[in-house]
């Protein structure tokens, strides 16, 4: 049986992180004014844009949640829409959003976010990025490759549409939702531990190229395990389908 213990304290993680970034950026600004390079290379650029916080490096940006750099508390919006391009208001530089950071929109006890739209440029969604929100559906962006640990855990997702470039779903990626049907894209190679634990899955279509299904991956669903078609080349944990219909 799969167990997981969480300690969620509202949005404190996000707020502390953004406050910490602002402190670092202030310190970096002083050092740069004194002519000191703080990184030995090009420094990362952190900024707020249209209500959200981003960190940029090169020409790419990572979404890091709510912009609370003004020192005020901000609730999570019901509908999150991340644009493909973001602009640093201080220097006018434009960046392409390719990642969603760790814990970026993790709502904790609040759980106010009901929908999210990510641009097709996003290739990676970080650990706990949308954990404990109230999402009822999710359509993966076209270029998404990696879903991080617990990225969508403890939502209310009943409709999930995966994209054709997805490679990996990490530990607990979609755990504790209400998903009933899953179609694995041909590119998917790994389904992590407890990735879909405690959903309402009745149908799963596995792809031939899938290499690994980890333990507890589909525990606590409504699957008739003997009817599943899994390629002989796929390594399946003995506990992958625990607590389903045999």
């Amino acid at each position: 049986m799969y167990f997981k213990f969480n300690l969620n304290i509202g949005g404190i993680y996000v707020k502390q992180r953004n406050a910490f970034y602002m402190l670092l950026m202030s310190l970096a600004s002083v050092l740069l004014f004194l002519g000191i390079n703080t990184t030995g290379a090009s420094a990362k650029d952190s900024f707020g844009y249209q209500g959200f916080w981003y960190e940029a490096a090169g020409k790419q940006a990572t979404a890091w949640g709510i912009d609370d750099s003004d020192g005020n508390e901000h609730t999570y919006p019901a509908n999150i829409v991340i644009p493909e391009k973001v602009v640093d208001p201080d220097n006018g530089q434009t960046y392409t959003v390719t990642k969603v950071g760790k814990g970026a929109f993790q709502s904790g006890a609040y759980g106010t976010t009901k929908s999210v739209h990510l641009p097709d440029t996003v290739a990676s969604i970080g650990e706990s990025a949308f954990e404990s929100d109230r999402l009822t559906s999710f359509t993966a962006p076209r270029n998404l490759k990696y879903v991080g640990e617990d990225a969508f855990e403890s939502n209310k997702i009943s409709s999930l549409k995966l994209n054709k470039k997805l490679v990996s779903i990490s530990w607990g990626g979609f755990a504790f939702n209400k998903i009933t049907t899953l179609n694995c894209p041909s590119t998917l190679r790994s389904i992590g531990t407890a990735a879909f634990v405690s959903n309402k899955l009745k149908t799963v279509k596995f792809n031939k190229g899938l290499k690994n299904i980890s333990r507890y991956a589909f525990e606590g669903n409504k699957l008739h395990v003997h009817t599943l078609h899994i390629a002989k080349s796929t390594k399946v944990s003995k506990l992958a389908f625990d607590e389903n219909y045999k």
Side-chain angles (χ1 to χ4, degrees), residues 168-207:
S168 174
I169 300 173
S170 297
W171 184 313
F174 291 96
F176 305 107
N177 278 281
K178 298 181 178 181
I179 302 166
T180 57
T181 302
L182 177 66
N183 291 315
C184 299
S186 60
T187 53
L188 189 62
R189 295 294 176 263
S190 176
I191 298 177
T193 299
F196 292 93
V197 69
S198 295
N199 272 269
K200 296 184 177 182
L201 284 165
K202 295 182 179 180
T203 305
V204 178
K205 184 178 180 180
F206 293 105
N207 57 306

Side-chain angles (χ1 to χ4, degrees), residues 21-155:
Y21 278 157
M22 293 304 296
L23 178 61
L24 286 180
M25 289 304 295
S26 297
L27 178 59
S29 297
V30 173
L31 293 176
L32 289 172
F33 177 77
L34 296 175
I36 301 172
N37 188 334
T38 59
T39 63
S42 58
K44 290 185 177 180
D45 184 18
S46 297
F47 56 92
Y49 180 75
Q50 295 183 349
F52 299 119
W53 191 255
Y54 298 91
E55 182 180 271
K59 296 181 179 181
Q60 300 179 347
T62 299
W64 278 108
I66 301 297
D67 177 13
D68 54 8
S69 58
D70 58 5
N72 296 319
E73 291 188 8
H74 297 272
T75 58
Y76 288 83
N79 305 299
I80 292 176
V81 179
I82 301 298
E84 179 177 329
K85 302 287 185 178
V86 293
V87 180
D88 183 344
D90 292 329
N91 59 27
Q93 292 291 322
T94 299
Y95 303 95
T96 300
V97 180
T98 58
K99 298 180 181 179
V100 178
K102 179 179 178 180
F105 299 97
Q106 181 181 3
S107 287
Y110 296 110
T112 55
T113 301
K114 297 181 179 180
S115 70
V116 59
H117 174 78
L118 301 177
D120 287 332
T121 51
V122 169
S124 175
I125 298 176
E127 177 183 339
S128 300
F130 297 97
E131 182 179 350
S132 299
D133 285 311
R134 294 184 180 180
L135 303 179
T136 58
S137 65
F138 178 69
T139 298
R142 292 181 182 179
N143 290 300
L144 183 65
K145 292 184 178 180
Y146 304 103
V147 174
E149 182 176 328
D150 300 329
F152 293 91
E153 183 193 324
S154 299
N155 277 268

